[in-house]
């Protein structure tokens, strides 16, 4: 029973650390990657709370859909700004 | 019922929501707005699933599924808005546009 508490504490640390990293890192692409870590670690709580279907939907919808859309936005809005910074 | 008390889940959800709110209030990049809103929606989802488990019914899980569909639609619309913002202002800084007409 206490192993579940230890696992909760470890994954809570991972979730909070990566979420704070999302809002503090300057590069939007690194923020998107840290957001993926946050969303995947949130799925662990759903498995611990006996909501396996919601956990699978979390991984499919968020990591498979939302994160791809955010990657799309990051790649489309950042390419020319780097050129402006360099020139 | 479980080894983890529900207060821990509520505290985790509160901390996650505060991180998302901090991101919205401090960052100026429009992409970070989308990511912070995702973090806040996930905090609400953790609360919903935790209360669904501790009450023993599936209402919270159904609410969480609705929230996920809402988040996916919100990111799709936000992507379009950010692309228009980038096309008109050549930047994704949300403080640059100050009027809704030009």
């Amino acid at each position: 029973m206490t192993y579940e508490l230890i696992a909760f504490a470890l994954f809570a640390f991972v979730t909070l650390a990566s979420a704070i990293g999302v809002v503090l890192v300057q590069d939007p692409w690194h923020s998107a990657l840290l957001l993926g870590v946050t969303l995947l670690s949130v799925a662990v709580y759903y498995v611990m709370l006996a909501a396996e279907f919601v956990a699978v939907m979390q991984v499919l919808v968020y990591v498979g859909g939302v994160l791809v859309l955010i990657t799309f936005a990051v790649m489309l809005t950042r390419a020319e700004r780097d050129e402006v910074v360099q020139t | 019922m479980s080894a983890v008390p529900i207060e821990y889940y509520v505290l985790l959800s509160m901390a996650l929501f505060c991180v998302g709110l901090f991101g919205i209030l401090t960052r100026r990049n429009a992409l970070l707005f989308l990511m912070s809103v995702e973090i806040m929606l996930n905090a609400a989802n953790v609360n919903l699933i935790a209360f669904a488990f501790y009450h023993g019914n599936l209402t919270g899980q159904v609410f969480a599924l609705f929230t996920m569909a809402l988040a996916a639609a919100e990111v799709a619309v936000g992507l379009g808005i950010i692309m228009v913002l980038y096309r008109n202002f050549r930047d994704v800084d949300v403080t640059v546009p100050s009027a809704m007409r030009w």
Side-chain angles (χ1 to χ4, degrees):
Chain A
M1 293 296 277
T2 184
Y3 295 114
E4 198 172 354
L5 200 59
I6 294 171
F8 176 82
L10 289 175
F11 276 103
F13 177 74
V14 170
T15 305
L16 287 177
S18 58
I20 290 170
V22 169
V23 299
L24 290 184
V25 167
Q26 292 299 318
D27 192 6
W29 175 235
H30 290 164
S31 291
L33 291 177
L34 282 170
L35 183 70
V37 175
T38 307
L39 297 175
L40 282 175
S41 63
V42 165
V44 174
Y45 307 130
Y46 298 161
V47 176
M48 287 167 64
L49 289 168
E52 291 88 2
F53 180 72
V54 184
V56 171
M57 290 321 264
Q58 167 92 6
V59 175
L60 281 180
V61 172
Y62 276 107
V63 184
V66 170
L67 208 59
V68 170
L69 279 176
I70 288 177
T71 305
F72 188 66
V74 169
M75 293 177 77
L76 278 181
T77 56
R78 211 182 61 167
E80 295 187 14
R81 194 168 56 174
D82 285 343
E83 293 178 1
V84 171
V85 169
Q86 286 172 2
T87 55
Chain B
M1 290 194 327
S2 173
V4 184
I6 191 170
E7 290 88 1
Y8 290 0
Y9 284 106
V10 175
L11 280 174
L12 171 76
S13 169
M14 187 182 70
L16 210 57
F17 191 89
C18 289
V19 169
L21 193 63
F22 175 77
I24 280 189
L25 291 177
T26 54
R27 297 302 298 268
R28 294 194 300 176
N29 194 339
L31 292 165
L32 265 299
F33 272 33
L34 278 184
M35 299 187 203
S36 299
V37 168
E38 294 301 317
I39 289 176
M40 291 163 74
L41 286 170
N42 269 286
N45 268 345
V46 169
N47 242 344
L48 287 171
I49 302 285
F51 279 109
F53 179 69
Y54 281 91
H55 287 165
N57 55 21
L58 290 176
T59 311
Q61 295 193 14
V62 176
F63 283 171
L65 287 175
F66 277 109
T67 309
M68 284 181 192
L70 188 85
E74 176 256 337
V75 166
V77 174
L79 173 69
I81 292 174
I82 288 176
M83 291 313 296
V84 172
L85 188 73
Y86 181 72
R87 177 177 296 177
N88 285 327
F89 294 98
R90 311 308 297 170
D91 202 358
V92 287
D93 194 341
V94 293
T95 60
V96 173
S98 58
M100 292 188 74
R101 59 174 178 83
W102 58 83

